[in-house]
Amino acid sequence: MLDKRFIRENPQAVKDAVAAKGIDLDVDELLQLDRDNRKLQFEVDEAQARRKSFAKQFAGADAARRAELRAEHEAFDRQLKDLREQLARTGGRLSELMLLVPGIPWSGAPVGADESANVVLRTVGEPPEFDFTPLDHTALAEKRGWAEFARARRVAGERAYALVGDMVMLERAVHSYALDLLRGLDFTPVSVPALVREEPLVGTGMLPKAREEIYAIPADDLYLAGTAEVALVGLHAGEILDVGRLPIRYAGISPCFRREIGSASRDVRGLLRVHQFEKVEQFVLCAADEAESARWHAELLATAERILSDLGLCYEVVECATGDMGVGKFRMNDINTWFPSLGRFRETHSCSTLHDWQARRANLRYRDTDGTVRFAHTLNNTAVATPRLLAALLENFQTADGEVRVPKVLRPYLGGRELI
C-alpha cells in the first residue's frame, strides 16, 4: 500500500508502476473514489456537528418549537444515515483498490512482463563435470531409499514426498547450518505459526491477489502460510516500536504450504516444486530510510550467496523484472542454483525490499528520535528452503557409485561424515 497523498501528488508514477507490474487497476477510478470519499467524510462530519446543535436548540425551545425540531431531527437523521451509507460504500471500494496499488519499482529494475525479462548480474562457481552418467535427484533418492514418492502420493496426492533416513538428517544439517550462520550475524531465530489469519496475509500483500495459491481452512477462518514472512510481519502489526529496537533481524523457521495452481503441469516429478516444504527465512524490519534499506538488501543477498558458496554450489544472481518481482516490491534479486539434470539454473532464493509498502498495510510503525511516528521498512530473503536445495546437493555432489559428498560446512552436523 502506498500513501494516499503520494498517489494524489504522483498519479503518473503510480500508473507507470501499474503498467510495469501488469496490475489490473484503474488509477483514475481510485483517485475519483478518493475525492468522493473525502467529500462525503466532510459532509458527514458537518452533519454530525449540526446534529449536536439540535440538543441545545431543543433544551431552550417551547412545546411548539420542540415538535418542529423533532420533525427536522428525524429528517436530518435520515439524511445522515444516507450519507454514512454512501461513505461506507465509497470507502469500502476505495480500500479494495488501495490494496491493489503496487509499490514503485526502483529505477534499475528491467521493465518486462515476466521472468523472461530478468537480467543475470553474475554467475559464481562452475557447474560440476562428471566422468559418469549422473542421475537426477529423484532417481538417486529412490535408488538409495532416501525418499518415498509413490507411497507419499497415496497419502497426500500429487507433489507429495516423504524423506527417509540420511535425507532427513541432511535436511536437518542444512537448516542447522543456516541457523547457526544467521545467529552469528545477530539474527534472532523465531519458530512461527504456519496457520495464520487473513489479516497478516493482507498485511504482507499475499492477499487479495494470490488467494488461489493459498490453502484455506474455512471452518477455522485460518490459512496455511507459504512463508514465515507472513507471521514475522504479523508479529508487530499494529504496534509502534521504539526506534532503539531497530533494526529487528529475524531468522524465521516454519513449514510452508503452496497450492502451485499456476504450475499445475510443471515439475510434477521429484522435489523441485512441492506443496509443503521447510524454510529458514531472513527478515529485517528497519527504519524508513532508503539508504538503510539498500544496505540491508545487499547484506541479505550476500548472506544467501555465502550459504551457496559455503555449500560449494554454482549459482547466478538475477535482477528481477518489474512483472516478476511482485506487487509490493521495490527491488527483487533471485538467486538461481545449478541443477545438472536440467542443464540450467533454478531459483532457490529470492531477496526483496518492500520499503514501507507492507508496513502501511500491516500498520507497523516506530517512533523516531524526534517523536515522529513512521511506517517501518521491511525486507526478506531465503536462507535455505528444502527439499529443493537438497535436490541441488544430491545432483551436484553425487559420485559414480551413487553416494553423495557432504559439503564441509555440513559435516559437523552429520557426525563428521564425508559421504552419505
mmCIF file of all heavy atoms in Angstrom, residues 173-220:
data_model
loop_
_atom_site.group_PDB
_atom_site.id
_atom_site.type_symbol
_atom_site.label_atom_id
_atom_site.label_comp_id
_atom_site.label_asym_id
_atom_site.label_seq_id
_atom_site.Cartn_x
_atom_site.Cartn_y
_atom_site.Cartn_z
ATOM 1 N N ALA A 173 20.677 -30.973 8.810
ATOM 2 C CA ALA A 173 22.009 -30.365 8.782
ATOM 3 C C ALA A 173 21.989 -29.029 8.046
ATOM 4 O O ALA A 173 22.594 -28.041 8.498
ATOM 5 C CB ALA A 173 23.002 -31.320 8.125
ATOM 6 N N VAL A 174 21.306 -28.978 6.923
ATOM 7 C CA VAL A 174 21.219 -27.745 6.137
ATOM 8 C C VAL A 174 20.571 -26.634 6.965
ATOM 9 O O VAL A 174 21.052 -25.491 7.013
ATOM 10 C CB VAL A 174 20.422 -27.993 4.831
ATOM 11 C CG1 VAL A 174 20.047 -26.669 4.167
ATOM 12 C CG2 VAL A 174 21.236 -28.849 3.863
ATOM 13 N N HIS A 175 19.493 -26.954 7.641
ATOM 14 C CA HIS A 175 18.792 -25.942 8.432
ATOM 15 C C HIS A 175 19.599 -25.521 9.658
ATOM 16 O O HIS A 175 19.629 -24.337 10.013
ATOM 17 C CB HIS A 175 17.410 -26.467 8.835
ATOM 18 C CG HIS A 175 16.430 -26.478 7.706
ATOM 19 N ND1 HIS A 175 15.540 -25.459 7.472
ATOM 20 C CD2 HIS A 175 16.217 -27.373 6.706
ATOM 21 C CE1 HIS A 175 14.821 -25.720 6.401
ATOM 22 N NE2 HIS A 175 15.214 -26.892 5.914
ATOM 23 N N SER A 176 20.252 -26.473 10.293
ATOM 24 C CA SER A 176 21.063 -26.142 11.468
ATOM 25 C C SER A 176 22.231 -25.243 11.092
ATOM 26 O O SER A 176 22.553 -24.274 11.800
ATOM 27 C CB SER A 176 21.576 -27.420 12.135
ATOM 28 O OG SER A 176 20.508 -28.177 12.667
ATOM 29 N N TYR A 177 22.873 -25.560 9.973
ATOM 30 C CA TYR A 177 23.979 -24.725 9.493
ATOM 31 C C TYR A 177 23.493 -23.296 9.223
ATOM 32 O O TYR A 177 24.132 -22.307 9.633
ATOM 33 C CB TYR A 177 24.586 -25.329 8.226
ATOM 34 C CG TYR A 177 25.222 -24.316 7.323
ATOM 35 C CD1 TYR A 177 26.418 -23.692 7.674
ATOM 36 C CD2 TYR A 177 24.595 -23.944 6.128
ATOM 37 C CE1 TYR A 177 26.973 -22.722 6.851
ATOM 38 C CE2 TYR A 177 25.153 -22.981 5.310
ATOM 39 C CZ TYR A 177 26.341 -22.369 5.670
ATOM 40 O OH TYR A 177 26.880 -21.406 4.860
ATOM 41 N N ALA A 178 22.339 -23.160 8.538
ATOM 42 C CA ALA A 178 21.818 -21.833 8.204
ATOM 43 C C ALA A 178 21.476 -21.051 9.467
ATOM 44 O O ALA A 178 21.779 -19.848 9.576
ATOM 45 C CB ALA A 178 20.587 -21.966 7.313
ATOM 46 N N LEU A 179 20.867 -21.703 10.436
ATOM 47 C CA LEU A 179 20.505 -21.017 11.675
ATOM 48 C C LEU A 179 21.743 -20.577 12.451
ATOM 49 O O LEU A 179 21.781 -19.467 12.999
ATOM 50 C CB LEU A 179 19.632 -21.926 12.542
ATOM 51 C CG LEU A 179 18.172 -22.042 12.116
ATOM 52 C CD1 LEU A 179 17.465 -23.125 12.926
ATOM 53 C CD2 LEU A 179 17.451 -20.710 12.280
ATOM 54 N N ASP A 180 22.738 -21.435 12.506
ATOM 55 C CA ASP A 180 23.974 -21.065 13.209
ATOM 56 C C ASP A 180 24.634 -19.866 12.535
ATOM 57 O O ASP A 180 25.145 -18.959 13.204
ATOM 58 C CB ASP A 180 24.939 -22.251 13.260
ATOM 59 C CG ASP A 180 24.536 -23.277 14.302
ATOM 60 O OD1 ASP A 180 23.641 -22.979 15.126
ATOM 61 O OD2 ASP A 180 25.105 -24.390 14.290
ATOM 62 N N LEU A 181 24.643 -19.863 11.208
ATOM 63 C CA LEU A 181 25.227 -18.740 10.478
ATOM 64 C C LEU A 181 24.471 -17.445 10.783
ATOM 65 O O LEU A 181 25.080 -16.402 11.073
ATOM 66 C CB LEU A 181 25.191 -19.023 8.974
ATOM 67 C CG LEU A 181 25.686 -17.892 8.060
ATOM 68 C CD1 LEU A 181 27.158 -17.593 8.303
ATOM 69 C CD2 LEU A 181 25.447 -18.241 6.599
ATOM 70 N N LEU A 182 23.148 -17.496 10.737
ATOM 71 C CA LEU A 182 22.343 -16.300 10.976
ATOM 72 C C LEU A 182 22.450 -15.818 12.423
ATOM 73 O O LEU A 182 22.474 -14.613 12.687
ATOM 74 C CB LEU A 182 20.883 -16.559 10.608
ATOM 75 C CG LEU A 182 20.608 -16.737 9.107
ATOM 76 C CD1 LEU A 182 19.153 -17.065 8.863
ATOM 77 C CD2 LEU A 182 21.014 -15.502 8.314
ATOM 78 N N ARG A 183 22.529 -16.745 13.353
ATOM 79 C CA ARG A 183 22.718 -16.345 14.746
ATOM 80 C C ARG A 183 24.037 -15.587 14.915
ATOM 81 O O ARG A 183 24.113 -14.613 15.675
ATOM 82 C CB ARG A 183 22.698 -17.572 15.654
ATOM 83 C CG ARG A 183 21.324 -18.175 15.865
ATOM 84 C CD ARG A 183 21.389 -19.361 16.806
ATOM 85 N NE ARG A 183 21.774 -18.940 18.150
ATOM 86 C CZ ARG A 183 22.221 -19.768 19.087
ATOM 87 N NH1 ARG A 183 22.373 -21.062 18.804
ATOM 88 N NH2 ARG A 183 22.524 -19.328 20.284
ATOM 89 N N GLY A 184 25.059 -16.005 14.190
ATOM 90 C CA GLY A 184 26.340 -15.310 14.239
ATOM 91 C C GLY A 184 26.279 -13.925 13.637
ATOM 92 O O GLY A 184 27.151 -13.085 13.890
ATOM 93 N N LEU A 185 25.242 -13.663 12.842
ATOM 94 C CA LEU A 185 25.034 -12.351 12.232
ATOM 95 C C LEU A 185 23.982 -11.542 12.990
ATOM 96 O O LEU A 185 23.442 -10.572 12.461
ATOM 97 C CB LEU A 185 24.618 -12.520 10.767
ATOM 98 C CG LEU A 185 25.663 -13.181 9.853
ATOM 99 C CD1 LEU A 185 25.058 -13.483 8.480
ATOM 100 C CD2 LEU A 185 26.898 -12.298 9.708
ATOM 101 N N ASP A 186 23.698 -11.973 14.223
ATOM 102 C CA ASP A 186 22.767 -11.274 15.118
ATOM 103 C C ASP A 186 21.312 -11.347 14.678
ATOM 104 O O ASP A 186 20.505 -10.457 14.997
ATOM 105 C CB ASP A 186 23.173 -9.801 15.311
ATOM 106 C CG ASP A 186 24.475 -9.663 16.077
ATOM 107 O OD1 ASP A 186 24.737 -10.508 16.953
ATOM 108 O OD2 ASP A 186 25.229 -8.715 15.798
ATOM 109 N N PHE A 187 20.959 -12.406 13.976
ATOM 110 C CA PHE A 187 19.556 -12.680 13.690
ATOM 111 C C PHE A 187 18.990 -13.530 14.824
ATOM 112 O O PHE A 187 19.656 -14.455 15.306
ATOM 113 C CB PHE A 187 19.392 -13.417 12.363
ATOM 114 C CG PHE A 187 19.495 -12.535 11.154
ATOM 115 C CD1 PHE A 187 20.721 -11.998 10.762
ATOM 116 C CD2 PHE A 187 18.371 -12.234 10.403
ATOM 117 C CE1 PHE A 187 20.822 -11.172 9.656
ATOM 118 C CE2 PHE A 187 18.463 -11.415 9.285
ATOM 119 C CZ PHE A 187 19.692 -10.889 8.915
ATOM 120 N N THR A 188 17.785 -13.234 15.234
ATOM 121 C CA THR A 188 17.123 -13.986 16.294
ATOM 122 C C THR A 188 16.259 -15.081 15.681
ATOM 123 O O THR A 188 15.327 -14.777 14.921
ATOM 124 C CB THR A 188 16.225 -13.067 17.146
ATOM 125 O OG1 THR A 188 17.025 -12.035 17.715
ATOM 126 C CG2 THR A 188 15.527 -13.858 18.243
ATOM 127 N N PRO A 189 16.539 -16.350 15.980
ATOM 128 C CA PRO A 189 15.677 -17.422 15.454
ATOM 129 C C PRO A 189 14.268 -17.323 16.044
ATOM 130 O O PRO A 189 14.102 -17.108 17.245
ATOM 131 C CB PRO A 189 16.375 -18.704 15.918
ATOM 132 C CG PRO A 189 17.773 -18.305 16.221
ATOM 133 C CD PRO A 189 17.687 -16.889 16.727
ATOM 134 N N VAL A 190 13.267 -17.451 15.192
ATOM 135 C CA VAL A 190 11.872 -17.426 15.623
ATOM 136 C C VAL A 190 11.132 -18.540 14.892
ATOM 137 O O VAL A 190 11.096 -18.564 13.658
ATOM 138 C CB VAL A 190 11.183 -16.079 15.295
ATOM 139 C CG1 VAL A 190 9.762 -16.069 15.851
ATOM 140 C CG2 VAL A 190 11.973 -14.910 15.839
ATOM 141 N N SER A 191 10.565 -19.451 15.651
ATOM 142 C CA SER A 191 9.730 -20.507 15.079
ATOM 143 C C SER A 191 8.299 -19.996 15.065
ATOM 144 O O SER A 191 7.701 -19.786 16.121
ATOM 145 C CB SER A 191 9.842 -21.786 15.920
ATOM 146 O OG SER A 191 9.011 -22.793 15.392
ATOM 147 N N VAL A 192 7.761 -19.762 13.876
ATOM 148 C CA VAL A 192 6.474 -19.061 13.759
ATOM 149 C C VAL A 192 5.345 -20.011 13.359
ATOM 150 O O VAL A 192 5.587 -21.090 12.811
ATOM 151 C CB VAL A 192 6.566 -17.911 12.734
ATOM 152 C CG1 VAL A 192 7.577 -16.873 13.177
ATOM 153 C CG2 VAL A 192 6.902 -18.438 11.346
ATOM 154 N N PRO A 193 4.101 -19.608 13.611
ATOM 155 C CA PRO A 193 2.963 -20.431 13.202
ATOM 156 C C PRO A 193 2.866 -20.525 11.682
ATOM 157 O O PRO A 193 3.099 -19.543 10.971
ATOM 158 C CB PRO A 193 1.752 -19.694 13.771
ATOM 159 C CG PRO A 193 2.287 -18.714 14.753
ATOM 160 C CD PRO A 193 3.671 -18.386 14.318
ATOM 161 N N ALA A 194 2.509 -21.698 11.202
ATOM 162 C CA ALA A 194 2.194 -21.855 9.778
ATOM 163 C C ALA A 194 0.722 -21.542 9.531
ATOM 164 O O ALA A 194 0.339 -21.156 8.427
ATOM 165 C CB ALA A 194 2.513 -23.270 9.310
ATOM 166 N N LEU A 195 -0.111 -21.723 10.559
ATOM 167 C CA LEU A 195 -1.517 -21.361 10.481
ATOM 168 C C LEU A 195 -1.667 -19.881 10.823
ATOM 169 O O LEU A 195 -1.241 -19.442 11.889
ATOM 170 C CB LEU A 195 -2.340 -22.192 11.471
ATOM 171 C CG LEU A 195 -2.637 -23.636 11.073
ATOM 172 C CD1 LEU A 195 -3.214 -24.392 12.264
ATOM 173 C CD2 LEU A 195 -3.610 -23.686 9.907
ATOM 174 N N VAL A 196 -2.275 -19.117 9.911
ATOM 175 C CA VAL A 196 -2.396 -17.675 10.127
ATOM 176 C C VAL A 196 -3.802 -17.202 9.778
ATOM 177 O O VAL A 196 -4.525 -17.842 9.007
ATOM 178 C CB VAL A 196 -1.366 -16.886 9.283
ATOM 179 C CG1 VAL A 196 0.055 -17.235 9.683
ATOM 180 C CG2 VAL A 196 -1.577 -17.140 7.791
ATOM 181 N N ARG A 197 -4.170 -16.071 10.339
ATOM 182 C CA ARG A 197 -5.432 -15.435 9.996
ATOM 183 C C ARG A 197 -5.297 -14.658 8.695
ATOM 184 O O ARG A 197 -4.194 -14.485 8.164
ATOM 185 C CB ARG A 197 -5.868 -14.516 11.140
ATOM 186 C CG ARG A 197 -6.232 -15.258 12.419
ATOM 187 C CD ARG A 197 -6.532 -14.301 13.552
ATOM 188 N NE ARG A 197 -7.067 -15.014 14.705
ATOM 189 C CZ ARG A 197 -7.235 -14.487 15.906
ATOM 190 N NH1 ARG A 197 -6.868 -13.217 16.120
ATOM 191 N NH2 ARG A 197 -7.738 -15.193 16.893
ATOM 192 N N GLU A 198 -6.427 -14.135 8.234
ATOM 193 C CA GLU A 198 -6.408 -13.399 6.968
ATOM 194 C C GLU A 198 -5.630 -12.087 7.082
ATOM 195 O O GLU A 198 -4.953 -11.675 6.126
ATOM 196 C CB GLU A 198 -7.840 -13.122 6.502
ATOM 197 C CG GLU A 198 -7.897 -12.412 5.155
ATOM 198 C CD GLU A 198 -9.259 -12.501 4.497
ATOM 199 O OE1 GLU A 198 -9.971 -13.503 4.715
ATOM 200 O OE2 GLU A 198 -9.599 -11.572 3.750
ATOM 201 N N GLU A 199 -5.714 -11.430 8.243
ATOM 202 C CA GLU A 199 -5.102 -10.104 8.392
ATOM 203 C C GLU A 199 -3.606 -10.089 8.058
ATOM 204 O O GLU A 199 -3.150 -9.196 7.321
ATOM 205 C CB GLU A 199 -5.331 -9.558 9.806
ATOM 206 C CG GLU A 199 -6.767 -9.171 10.088
ATOM 207 C CD GLU A 199 -7.629 -10.349 10.525
ATOM 208 O OE1 GLU A 199 -7.131 -11.510 10.504
ATOM 209 O OE2 GLU A 199 -8.785 -10.129 10.893
ATOM 210 N N PRO A 200 -2.789 -11.010 8.590
ATOM 211 C CA PRO A 200 -1.369 -10.962 8.235
ATOM 212 C C PRO A 200 -1.098 -11.286 6.768
ATOM 213 O O PRO A 200 -0.100 -10.824 6.210
ATOM 214 C CB PRO A 200 -0.715 -11.989 9.171
ATOM 215 C CG PRO A 200 -1.821 -12.834 9.671
ATOM 216 C CD PRO A 200 -3.036 -11.976 9.684
ATOM 217 N N LEU A 201 -1.965 -12.034 6.141
ATOM 218 C CA LEU A 201 -1.808 -12.293 4.705
ATOM 219 C C LEU A 201 -2.081 -11.025 3.907
ATOM 220 O O LEU A 201 -1.400 -10.742 2.912
ATOM 221 C CB LEU A 201 -2.733 -13.418 4.257
ATOM 222 C CG LEU A 201 -2.327 -14.818 4.715
ATOM 223 C CD1 LEU A 201 -3.481 -15.802 4.539
ATOM 224 C CD2 LEU A 201 -1.107 -15.318 3.944
ATOM 225 N N VAL A 202 -3.069 -10.254 4.344
ATOM 226 C CA VAL A 202 -3.319 -8.949 3.710
ATOM 227 C C VAL A 202 -2.160 -8.006 4.010
ATOM 228 O O VAL A 202 -1.686 -7.274 3.147
ATOM 229 C CB VAL A 202 -4.654 -8.358 4.207
ATOM 230 C CG1 VAL A 202 -4.829 -6.920 3.689
ATOM 231 C CG2 VAL A 202 -5.821 -9.217 3.749
ATOM 232 N N GLY A 203 -1.684 -8.046 5.250
ATOM 233 C CA GLY A 203 -0.599 -7.164 5.653
ATOM 234 C C GLY A 203 0.672 -7.362 4.856
ATOM 235 O O GLY A 203 1.384 -6.400 4.548
ATOM 236 N N THR A 204 0.977 -8.590 4.495
ATOM 237 C CA THR A 204 2.185 -8.859 3.713
ATOM 238 C C THR A 204 1.951 -8.727 2.211
ATOM 239 O O THR A 204 2.906 -8.726 1.436
ATOM 240 C CB THR A 204 2.708 -10.281 4.001
ATOM 241 O OG1 THR A 204 1.626 -11.206 3.931
ATOM 242 C CG2 THR A 204 3.366 -10.363 5.354
ATOM 243 N N GLY A 205 0.676 -8.636 1.790
ATOM 244 C CA GLY A 205 0.380 -8.499 0.368
ATOM 245 C C GLY A 205 0.097 -9.811 -0.326
ATOM 246 O O GLY A 205 -0.081 -9.842 -1.551
ATOM 247 N N MET A 206 0.049 -10.920 0.431
ATOM 248 C CA MET A 206 -0.295 -12.203 -0.176
ATOM 249 C C MET A 206 -1.765 -12.220 -0.608
ATOM 250 O O MET A 206 -2.143 -12.899 -1.562
ATOM 251 C CB MET A 206 -0.041 -13.353 0.806
ATOM 252 C CG MET A 206 1.350 -13.358 1.416
ATOM 253 S SD MET A 206 2.648 -13.575 0.180
ATOM 254 C CE MET A 206 4.110 -13.298 1.194
ATOM 255 N N LEU A 207 -2.587 -11.508 0.144
ATOM 256 C CA LEU A 207 -3.997 -11.324 -0.204
ATOM 257 C C LEU A 207 -4.228 -9.838 -0.464
ATOM 258 O O LEU A 207 -3.567 -8.996 0.133
ATOM 259 C CB LEU A 207 -4.898 -11.790 0.946
ATOM 260 C CG LEU A 207 -5.001 -13.299 1.179
ATOM 261 C CD1 LEU A 207 -5.910 -13.591 2.374
ATOM 262 C CD2 LEU A 207 -5.505 -14.026 -0.056
ATOM 263 N N PRO A 208 -5.137 -9.515 -1.400
ATOM 264 C CA PRO A 208 -6.068 -10.430 -2.062
ATOM 265 C C PRO A 208 -5.557 -11.089 -3.334
ATOM 266 O O PRO A 208 -6.189 -11.998 -3.846
ATOM 267 C CB PRO A 208 -7.237 -9.497 -2.392
ATOM 268 C CG PRO A 208 -6.579 -8.172 -2.653
ATOM 269 C CD PRO A 208 -5.436 -8.094 -1.672
ATOM 270 N N LYS A 209 -4.421 -10.661 -3.869
ATOM 271 C CA LYS A 209 -4.012 -11.061 -5.216
ATOM 272 C C LYS A 209 -3.777 -12.559 -5.369
ATOM 273 O O LYS A 209 -4.189 -13.161 -6.360
ATOM 274 C CB LYS A 209 -2.745 -10.301 -5.624
ATOM 275 C CG LYS A 209 -2.302 -10.588 -7.053
ATOM 276 C CD LYS A 209 -1.164 -9.689 -7.467
ATOM 277 C CE LYS A 209 -0.611 -10.052 -8.840
ATOM 278 N NZ LYS A 209 -1.630 -10.015 -9.889
ATOM 279 N N ALA A 210 -3.117 -13.199 -4.383
ATOM 280 C CA ALA A 210 -2.686 -14.592 -4.558
ATOM 281 C C ALA A 210 -3.591 -15.593 -3.842
ATOM 282 O O ALA A 210 -3.145 -16.658 -3.427
ATOM 283 C CB ALA A 210 -1.246 -14.745 -4.078
ATOM 284 N N ARG A 211 -4.864 -15.267 -3.706
ATOM 285 C CA ARG A 211 -5.770 -16.101 -2.921
ATOM 286 C C ARG A 211 -5.803 -17.546 -3.425
ATOM 287 O O ARG A 211 -5.851 -18.488 -2.628
ATOM 288 C CB ARG A 211 -7.186 -15.512 -2.937
ATOM 289 C CG ARG A 211 -8.150 -16.213 -1.983
ATOM 290 C CD ARG A 211 -9.487 -15.491 -1.945
ATOM 291 N NE ARG A 211 -9.381 -14.162 -1.377
ATOM 292 C CZ ARG A 211 -9.424 -13.905 -0.072
ATOM 293 N NH1 ARG A 211 -9.537 -14.899 0.798
ATOM 294 N NH2 ARG A 211 -9.330 -12.662 0.358
ATOM 295 N N GLU A 212 -5.785 -17.744 -4.720
ATOM 296 C CA GLU A 212 -5.900 -19.109 -5.251
ATOM 297 C C GLU A 212 -4.667 -19.958 -4.959
ATOM 298 O O GLU A 212 -4.731 -21.183 -5.056
ATOM 299 C CB GLU A 212 -6.153 -19.076 -6.753
ATOM 300 C CG GLU A 212 -4.999 -18.534 -7.582
ATOM 301 C CD GLU A 212 -5.250 -18.654 -9.072
ATOM 302 O OE1 GLU A 212 -6.373 -18.959 -9.473
ATOM 303 O OE2 GLU A 212 -4.278 -18.437 -9.838
ATOM 304 N N GLU A 213 -3.556 -19.326 -4.575
ATOM 305 C CA GLU A 213 -2.337 -20.083 -4.279
ATOM 306 C C GLU A 213 -2.228 -20.478 -2.805
ATOM 307 O O GLU A 213 -1.291 -21.168 -2.417
ATOM 308 C CB GLU A 213 -1.104 -19.252 -4.662
ATOM 309 C CG GLU A 213 -0.875 -19.121 -6.157
ATOM 310 C CD GLU A 213 -0.432 -20.422 -6.816
ATOM 311 O OE1 GLU A 213 -0.067 -21.353 -6.081
ATOM 312 O OE2 GLU A 213 -0.481 -20.502 -8.042
ATOM 313 N N ILE A 214 -3.193 -20.049 -1.996
ATOM 314 C CA ILE A 214 -3.088 -20.237 -0.549
ATOM 315 C C ILE A 214 -4.096 -21.277 -0.077
ATOM 316 O O ILE A 214 -5.280 -21.220 -0.437
ATOM 317 C CB ILE A 214 -3.324 -18.905 0.185
ATOM 318 C CG1 ILE A 214 -2.304 -17.858 -0.271
ATOM 319 C CG2 ILE A 214 -3.254 -19.093 1.697
ATOM 320 C CD1 ILE A 214 -2.586 -16.461 0.229
ATOM 321 N N TYR A 215 -3.652 -22.209 0.737
ATOM 322 C CA TYR A 215 -4.552 -23.188 1.333
ATOM 323 C C TYR A 215 -5.403 -22.509 2.402
ATOM 324 O O TYR A 215 -4.878 -21.868 3.316
ATOM 325 C CB TYR A 215 -3.768 -24.330 1.975
ATOM 326 C CG TYR A 215 -3.180 -25.314 0.990
ATOM 327 C CD1 TYR A 215 -1.831 -25.285 0.674
ATOM 328 C CD2 TYR A 215 -3.981 -26.276 0.388
ATOM 329 C CE1 TYR A 215 -1.283 -26.181 -0.223
ATOM 330 C CE2 TYR A 215 -3.447 -27.183 -0.513
ATOM 331 C CZ TYR A 215 -2.098 -27.135 -0.814
ATOM 332 O OH TYR A 215 -1.564 -28.027 -1.703
ATOM 333 N N ALA A 216 -6.730 -22.669 2.289
ATOM 334 C CA ALA A 216 -7.656 -22.074 3.246
ATOM 335 C C ALA A 216 -8.306 -23.157 4.101
ATOM 336 O O ALA A 216 -8.551 -24.275 3.629
ATOM 337 C CB ALA A 216 -8.728 -21.276 2.511
ATOM 338 N N ILE A 217 -8.571 -22.817 5.369
ATOM 339 C CA ILE A 217 -9.271 -23.712 6.288
ATOM 340 C C ILE A 217 -10.501 -22.943 6.776
ATOM 341 O O ILE A 217 -10.490 -22.319 7.843
ATOM 342 C CB ILE A 217 -8.363 -24.121 7.461
ATOM 343 C CG1 ILE A 217 -7.050 -24.711 6.917
ATOM 344 C CG2 ILE A 217 -9.060 -25.130 8.374
ATOM 345 C CD1 ILE A 217 -6.024 -24.997 7.987
ATOM 346 N N PRO A 218 -11.585 -22.957 5.980
ATOM 347 C CA PRO A 218 -12.752 -22.110 6.274
ATOM 348 C C PRO A 218 -13.374 -22.370 7.636
ATOM 349 O O PRO A 218 -13.876 -21.440 8.268
ATOM 350 C CB PRO A 218 -13.729 -22.463 5.142
ATOM 351 C CG PRO A 218 -12.886 -23.046 4.053
ATOM 352 C CD PRO A 218 -11.751 -23.730 4.732
ATOM 353 N N ALA A 219 -13.370 -23.619 8.098
ATOM 354 C CA ALA A 219 -14.021 -23.945 9.372
ATOM 355 C C ALA A 219 -13.418 -23.170 10.532
ATOM 356 O O ALA A 219 -14.098 -22.903 11.535
ATOM 357 C CB ALA A 219 -13.924 -25.450 9.640
ATOM 358 N N ASP A 220 -12.153 -22.779 10.411
ATOM 359 C CA ASP A 220 -11.475 -22.067 11.497
ATOM 360 C C ASP A 220 -11.051 -20.654 11.116
ATOM 361 O O ASP A 220 -10.347 -19.985 11.889
ATOM 362 C CB ASP A 220 -10.237 -22.854 11.941
ATOM 363 C CG ASP A 220 -10.594 -24.225 12.487
ATOM 364 O OD1 ASP A 220 -11.420 -24.286 13.409
ATOM 365 O OD2 ASP A 220 -10.059 -25.227 11.986
#
